[in-house]
Amino acid sequence: MNESRQVNVSADNLSRVFSALADPTRRDIVARLSDGDATVGELAAPYDVSMQAISKHLKVLEDAGLVTKGRDAQRRPVHLEATVLDLMTKWIERYRKNAEERYRRLDDVLDSIPDDPDPTQPSQTREPK
Amino acid sequence: MTTSVHETQIFVDPKVPAVRIVREFDAPPAKVFRAHVDPALFSQWNGPRGNEMRTDYFDCRTGGSFRYVIARKGHEAWFHGSFHEVRPSELIVQTFTYEGFPDGVALEKLVFEDLGGGRTRLTATSLVDSFEDRDAFVASGMESGVREGYEKLDEVLARTA
């Protein structure tokens, strides 16, 4: 695999992680796997859906790289790849922090400007005072 | 998907390629609005920390447009867009393009909500035309760490494939 293809694949994968986690059942499965590995049967137990439906959800999570299946042929326990989840969470948290920093500066700007005498005409300030 | 319960909240929409940021301010809507439309005030807080922002033009009214540069250590990033709908103290709808990628455009909607008692809730929604762009946009919060982040994701995904 050459380098440019790798970058494309990762951009796709990030999107896949986002869309995989867009579904509430899949988020629930991920939350339960964060407590430890589980079999498909164990994961399906609390839901009023077929094993097949849960397997489909797991396939989506697997394709996104979020979970893997164990080698044990009998149980094939599902394992959460926490690193992938951590990476995505870090991305979003970093983005949130940047927005927060920016808005803290806006807080300071808001503190520095006097109350507008005529709030119906706030956009007329075109030149710096 | 709610990802944070901190003061600034981020919502990554699973259905459309949008990111929504919600934040409250201890100032009335007129003031928060003014800090967005007055270029002298806007340039004091917009852009990443430690960067300098200069406007080429900035005419925040319905049908107006803007162009500005964010500069850091000799590196310049230019942005431009159009103000589609501007209603004092209530709403700004605008387009936003990074000139390094001129075919890309985000549609941004800023809603200024009066919470009473001199407080405002600002909801900023940014909609792009593909999930790939949106996710890259979220990932760009890593700034210089984006490439490193992708490399790490590559490694992890290579191991789990």
Side-chain angles (χ1 to χ4, degrees):
Chain A
M1 199 186 283
N2 65 43
E3 221 178 285
S4 63
R5 172 142 166 75
Q6 273 197 356
V7 171
N8 287 335
V9 168
S10 355
D12 283 354
N13 275 322
L14 181 60
S15 284
R16 246 182 269 157
V17 173
F18 270 111
S19 61
L21 292 173
D23 180 90
T25 304
R26 289 197 289 271
R27 278 206 298 279
D28 198 38
I29 291 172
V30 166
R32 289 176 56 214
L33 286 172
S34 68
D35 291 335
D37 296 0
T39 62
V40 179
E42 285 161 359
L43 287 170
Y47 303 105
D48 191 20
V49 293
S50 64
M51 291 264 282
Q52 205 179 13
I54 293 299
S55 289
K56 264 189 193 163
H57 281 308
L58 287 172
K59 179 82 170 73
V60 176
L61 292 171
E62 216 178 339
D63 287 348
L66 277 161
V67 305
T68 48
K69 282 199 185 137
R71 292 245 170 83
D72 180 343
Q74 287 291 308
R75 295 182 69 244
R76 303 227 52 202
V78 183
H79 174 75
L80 177 68
E81 293 297 333
T83 330
V84 176
L85 192 65
D86 280 357
L87 259 176
M88 200 198 63
T89 314
K90 272 184 195 134
W91 261 319
I92 296 173
E93 180 54 20
R94 181 66 171 259
Y95 187 81
R96 195 197 67 79
K97 271 193 187 140
N98 283 352
E100 174 64 24
E101 273 183 18
R102 187 167 165 262
Y103 284 143
R104 287 212 181 135
R105 288 198 295 279
L106 176 52
D107 284 334
D108 294 342
V109 169
L110 293 169
D111 282 344
S112 76
I113 50 180
D115 290 330
D116 206 309
D118 183 2
T120 60
Q121 298 289 319
S123 65
Q124 299 309 304
T125 314
R126 296 283 294 279
E127 296 297 321
K129 281 171 192 161
Chain B
M1 170 169 46
T2 309
T3 56
S4 174
V5 292
H6 295 92
E7 198 169 7
T8 296
Q9 289 183 290
I10 298 265
F11 301 90
V12 179
D13 198 309
K15 297 278 195 283
V16 290
V19 179
R20 182 166 296 132
I21 301 176
V22 181
R23 173 67 143 77
E24 291 177 10
F25 294 93
D26 290 320
K31 225 179 194 183
V32 183
F33 179 81
R34 198 178 140 200
H36 281 79
V37 303
D38 180 334
L41 293 175
F42 187 62
S43 57
Q44 285 177 36
W45 63 271
N46 186 48
R49 184 184 297 280
N51 291 18
E52 185 206 349
M53 178 186 149
R54 297 190 314 272
T55 52
D56 182 2
Y57 48 86
F58 196 92
D59 184 16
C60 189
R61 58 180 175 84
T62 299
S65 59
F66 69 88
R67 184 169 186 259
Y68 61 76
V69 62
I70 290 184
R72 179 185 222 164
K73 291 174 189 163
H75 178 78
E76 292 193 337
W78 285 89
F79 304 89
H80 71 259
S82 302
F83 292 106
H84 184 78
E85 180 72 28
V86 178
R87 276 209 305 276
S89 309
E90 283 180 25
L91 177 74
I92 297 174
V93 180
Q94 66 182 62
T95 59
F96 182 89
T97 287
Y98 165 52
E99 294 186 2
F101 185 47
D103 292 4
V105 61
L107 178 63
E108 302 194 324
K109 187 176 179 183
L110 283 75
V111 177
F112 303 79
E113 192 184 337
D114 194 347
L115 298 176
R119 287 180 59 79
T120 303
R121 180 183 296 128
L122 175 68
T123 302
T125 308
S126 192
L127 176 73
V128 292
D129 57 8
S130 74
F131 283 97
E132 285 76 9
D133 283 1
R134 192 275 307 273
D135 300 343
F137 183 54
V138 171
S140 74
M142 292 283 282
E143 291 177 299
S144 57
V146 171
R147 188 175 307 195
E148 194 194 320
Y150 271 134
E151 280 168 7
K152 269 189 220 150
L153 186 61
D154 270 339
E155 287 167 23
V156 171
L157 293 167
R159 278 205 306 275
T160 61

